[in-house]
Amino acid sequence: MSNQTEERPAEPGAAAAAPRRASVVATLFRFQSFFGLVAVFLAAVIFSPRNDGQILFLTSDNLFNIVRAVSEIGIIAIGLTFVILIGGIDLSVGSVLGLAAVGSAVLMVEDGFGVWVAVALVLLAGIVFGLLQGTAVALLGVQAFIVTLAGLQIARGLARMWSGGETVQISYGDGPGQAPMLFSLLGERTFGGVVPIPALIFAVVAVVAILFLRGSAYSRHLYAIGGNEKAARLSGVPVNRVKIIAFGIAGFCAALAGIVHAGQLNAGSPNDGIAYELDGIAAVVVGGTSLAGGRGSVIGTIAGALLLGILNNILSLNSVNTDLQLLIKGLVIVAAAALQRLRPTS
């Protein structure tokens, strides 16, 4: 009698179960930002304060206030998504927001420009600033972290020089030293006084970015560079041009967020936007985009921004200590980054 153990063939059901489990796991990680958003939303409903039986978190005013509050960070985060998809980073977006807010105020209040001319000039300045940073990264080979860290200081310095180091208040009217009334709409609500204008701008930017990433050859190049830059270059992808454009998009979004910021606060300050780059990066990471590049989506970034906005809101509604709020948000960001490490590579 043989002492060898007889090998049994694998059961067909067991062989088929493994790919199914892998598919389920991949799906869970793919939509982690949405599952997280739903979980935080449900937790906010459960722990929301009540007033005469009404859940304060679910009131229309509160929900739209959340979207209004995240609109600036959301717009910045959408621009950052393009840069992070190629494995880059942009630390200057908060300072560019401050520069754009100051520029909007100065051009209209002190220089007498109309709304559309001022907005066009500010957006152009943001695009040029981003393109210059992208050029330094792509053509000079300087690391994005260093280039944008310097850009953070440069944009903040330009904002201080432009404003004389002071906050420029925006008052509205037809006389000298006053901005056109049209700009004040950025602080208003539409659709019966319910939907904030900044929320609509955020939504438009989001839709355009989603459609652009889904239907353009440029988006395929972004993912290819983030996945393997050397292979992308050998495949004929115009790597330098794609990188420069990505930073230009980030600069445009930061400048647009600065215009919205000035319109909401009726002022432009050289200190506006401090640490906004960290909030923007946090939204991108929580949304499932890999900091290594090549993986992520604008839809995930939007979900990440809303998740952080809801978290901020429910903590404030419950009068949670500010220091504890920072701790909780930090833990959420770390958890999101840790999940990315566990995500299947294929």
Side-chain angles (χ1 to χ4, degrees), residues 33-344:
S33 57
F34 300 101
F35 293 135
L37 178 59
V38 171
V40 171
F41 186 91
L42 292 176
V45 172
I46 293 171
F47 294 106
S48 171
R50 267 69 170 171
N51 185 13
D52 295 329
Q54 184 180 34
I55 301 175
L56 295 182
F57 172 77
L58 290 179
T59 60
S60 60
D61 281 346
N62 185 66
L63 292 176
F64 280 114
N65 278 336
I66 293 173
V67 182
R68 181 197 58 76
V70 304
S71 60
E72 296 171 24
I73 296 298
I75 293 170
I76 285 178
I78 289 171
L80 281 171
T81 302
F82 285 80
V83 174
I84 293 176
L85 280 174
I86 60 172
I89 198 71
D90 191 345
L91 301 177
S92 69
V93 288
S95 295
V96 173
L97 180 149
L99 178 63
V102 164
S104 300
V106 172
L107 287 174
M108 289 186 294
V109 173
E110 297 183 5
D111 298 332
F113 284 93
V115 172
W116 296 114
V117 175
V119 166
L121 290 175
V122 169
L123 291 177
L124 180 61
I127 293 171
V128 170
F129 196 90
L131 292 176
L132 289 175
Q133 291 190 126
T135 300
V137 172
L139 300 184
L140 301 182
V142 184
Q143 290 183 346
F145 181 89
I146 301 299
V147 170
T148 59
L149 182 62
L152 179 154
Q153 302 292 338
I154 292 170
R156 191 67 67 189
L158 289 173
R160 292 185 184 279
M161 293 170 60
W162 205 351
S163 66
E166 302 291 336
T167 297
V168 181
Q169 298 293 335
I170 301 177
S171 57
Y172 298 100
D174 297 324
Q178 294 180 311
M181 288 297 299
L182 179 62
F183 195 73
S184 67
L185 292 177
L186 290 174
E188 302 295 331
R189 294 173 180 246
T190 187
F191 295 110
V194 176
V195 183
I197 298 294
L200 289 180
I201 296 174
F202 176 32
V204 170
V205 173
V207 170
V208 171
I210 290 169
L211 294 177
F212 182 63
L213 274 184
R214 284 189 172 182
S216 66
Y218 177 80
S219 67
R220 294 191 291 273
H221 294 163
L222 278 177
Y223 286 100
I225 293 171
N228 189 323
E229 181 176 333
K230 184 177 180 180
R233 194 182 297 275
L234 292 175
S235 299
V237 174
V239 173
N240 291 341
R241 185 172 66 193
V242 171
K243 284 185 175 182
I244 292 172
I245 293 174
F247 279 93
I249 292 172
F252 168 84
C253 289
L256 178 59
I259 294 169
V260 173
H261 185 85
Q264 290 197 87
L265 298 184
N266 295 324
S269 168
N271 295 320
D272 287 339
I274 291 178
Y276 274 39
E277 61 276 0
L278 302 181
D279 291 336
I281 293 171
V284 176
V285 171
V286 171
T289 297
S290 172
L291 287 173
R295 190 168 59 201
S297 68
V298 170
I299 296 178
T301 294
I302 296 166
L306 291 174
L307 186 156
L308 293 175
I310 291 172
L311 188 61
N312 282 333
N313 181 262
I314 193 60
L315 292 175
S316 297
L317 285 178
N318 284 282
S319 301
V320 175
N321 180 275
T322 304
D323 296 332
L324 184 57
Q325 289 188 34
L326 293 173
L327 175 62
I328 293 172
K329 288 187 290 184
L331 290 175
V332 170
I333 295 168
V334 171
L339 279 176
Q340 288 189 16
R341 297 286 296 175
L342 298 174
R343 183 174 182 173

